[in-house]
Amino acid sequence: MNRAFSRKKDKTWMHTPEALSKHYIPYNAKFLGSTEVEQPKGTEVVRDAVRKLKFARHIKKSEGQKTPKVELQISIYGVKILDPKTKEVQHNCQLHRISFCADDKTDKRIFTFICKDSESNKHLCYVFDSEKCAEEITLTIGQAFDLAYRKFLESGGKDVETRKQIAGLQKRIQELETENTELKNKVQDLENQLRITQVHASPAGSVTPKSPSTDIFDMVPFSPISPQSSTPTRNGTQPPPVPSRSTEIKRDLFGAEPFDPFNCGAGDFPPDIQSKLDEMQRQRWLVYHILIMEGFKMGLTLEGTVFCLDPLDSRC
């Protein structure tokens, strides 16, 4: 380790001042981790931290864990360490808290910087692995320091205090956003519980019975499941009630079962009576058939729901 912002003044920096003051310079690297150090600067301090984190990384690598990749955003306000895919900020190291930065000449992929933690006030050494940009990243951080120091001299020290206040406000905003998200989740949970309570407490809704549909003859279709409703016909008369049948068999005074034509089958009658009933049934259907045939000969037709007798054509 030998570089600690020792860039000569007669050499120009690699980035324009506007790129670091108005924007940032991004770099990709592997993050070996961070560890606490006793001193805010020093080559030996950084070397011990690198050895410690390399050993810990070898153990994790033997367990199958890969070294995580990060994105560094360097500007005059600090160094941000982000997730390269989600762009989530993992660490925000403000520039005025960085006390030392160096790259390793024995291992040109390694570079580090020491930053004072804002909450614990401990000095943490951050170690990174970059195959091609280790020295360039160190020089970029040095250029950011140079520009920040010039701006500090121009503003008379007011700019540093302003950045501190802005950093404090940004931290407070993040805390309020986290608290606001938690409150929103709690409100949503309460609304869900209230909705469930109202559903359980509300009485069962009454179903409005629908009027039974009728056929083309204004008659209610027969349903063997539900009894016929007493719906008046179009002429205003009430149809006769259908006698309800009981499942229990009633007997007369002599203990005999009463005659019920609805329940009697073909085998319930004696042979002579059954033959007479069959003959009466055949005669009834024959008369019904003759009447229908005679009606059609006379011009009886069916139009919709009305029977009519058309005049006979004399030519027939």
Side-chain angles (χ1 to χ4, degrees):
M1 302 284 178
N2 65 351
R3 189 181 302 276
F5 310 139
S6 60
R7 189 79 170 179
K8 293 183 180 180
K9 294 181 180 180
D10 55 348
K11 294 183 179 181
T12 58
W13 297 102
M14 61 183 64
H15 302 291
T16 60
E18 290 79 11
L20 287 168
S21 59
K22 296 182 180 180
H23 303 285
Y24 59 85
I25 305 299
Y27 289 101
N28 292 323
K30 293 182 179 180
F31 186 34
L32 273 68
S34 62
T35 182
E36 182 182 355
V37 293
E38 296 180 356
Q39 301 295 329
K41 58 183 178 179
T43 304
E44 293 298 328
V45 174
V46 172
R47 184 179 288 112
D48 292 339
V50 171
R51 277 199 298 263
K52 181 179 179 181
L53 291 174
K54 277 186 175 181
F55 179 74
R57 181 52 54 185
H58 281 304
I59 295 177
K60 292 182 179 179
K61 190 174 182 180
S62 64
E63 296 175 352
Q65 298 183 16
K66 296 182 179 180
T67 304
K69 296 180 179 180
V70 295
E71 178 183 338
L72 301 177
Q73 294 181 356
I74 303 173
S75 67
I76 62 173
Y77 301 104
V79 179
K80 289 183 178 181
I81 305 173
L82 300 88
D83 185 281
K85 294 182 179 180
T86 63
K87 301 300 180 182
E88 181 182 358
V89 179
Q90 299 176 356
H91 302 279
N92 186 10
C93 303
Q94 299 173 9
L95 199 66
H96 66 276
R97 293 184 175 274
I98 297 177
S99 57
F100 190 81
C101 181
D103 56 276
D104 192 350
K105 287 305 177 183
T106 59
D107 189 353
K108 295 184 178 181
R109 301 178 306 175
I110 302 298
F111 69 95
T112 66
F113 63 83
I114 299 176
C115 179
K116 188 177 182 180
D117 186 66
S118 60
E119 296 181 358
S120 62
N121 288 327
K122 295 180 181 179
H123 296 283
L124 301 178
C125 182
Y126 294 83
V127 181
F128 302 89
D129 183 349
S130 179
E131 295 182 0
K132 301 179 180 179
C133 303
E135 183 178 359
E136 182 179 343
I137 293 173
T138 304
L139 293 175
T140 303
I141 296 177
Q143 184 180 0
F145 265 97
D146 183 72
L147 292 173
Y149 181 70
R150 292 180 184 181
K151 196 171 183 179
F152 170 77
L153 295 178
E154 292 174 359
S155 62
K158 296 180 180 180
D159 186 65
V160 176
E161 296 297 329
T162 302
R163 288 204 301 269
K164 289 182 180 180
Q165 294 177 1
I166 293 174
L169 291 175
Q170 290 177 347
K171 182 179 178 181
R172 181 57 180 166
I173 289 173
Q174 292 179 354
E175 293 176 354
L176 291 175
E177 288 178 352
T178 303
E179 185 179 354
N180 189 24
T181 303
E182 294 177 354
L183 291 175
K184 285 182 178 180
N185 294 334
K186 291 181 180 179
V187 170
Q188 185 65 33
D189 294 339
L190 291 175
E191 290 180 353
N192 295 335
Q193 294 178 3
L194 180 61
R195 190 179 296 108
I196 294 174
T197 305
Q198 291 177 351
V199 169
H200 288 300
S202 60
S206 58
V207 180
T208 304
K210 296 182 180 180
S211 59
S213 58
T214 57
D215 56 10
I216 59 176
F217 299 103
D218 196 23
M219 298 181 64
V220 179
F222 171 74
S223 176
I225 300 176
S226 59
Q228 293 181 350
S229 58
S230 57
T231 305
T233 58
R234 287 186 177 180
N235 54 11
T237 61
Q238 193 75 15
V242 179
S244 61
R245 300 175 185 176
S246 177
T247 56
E248 297 180 358
I249 300 176
K250 298 181 180 180
R251 300 178 182 274
D252 55 12
L253 297 175
F254 302 99
E257 297 180 2
F259 171 74
D260 188 358
F262 295 98
N263 295 330
C264 293
D268 296 333
F269 300 101
D272 54 342
I273 298 177
Q274 183 65 41
S275 61
K276 292 181 180 180
L277 289 176
D278 294 339
E279 183 63 22
M280 293 172 62
Q281 182 73 10
R282 285 194 296 270
Q283 291 179 2
R284 187 181 65 176
W285 282 108
L286 181 61
V287 172
Y288 180 73
H289 180 70
I290 293 174
L291 290 175
I292 292 177
M293 296 302 295
E294 292 295 326
F296 282 118
K297 289 181 180 180
M298 296 174 63
L300 186 66
T301 59
L302 177 64
E303 297 180 358
T305 59
V306 181
F307 286 93
C308 65
L309 187 64
D310 296 333
L312 296 175
D313 191 353
S314 59
R315 292 175 297 177
C316 298

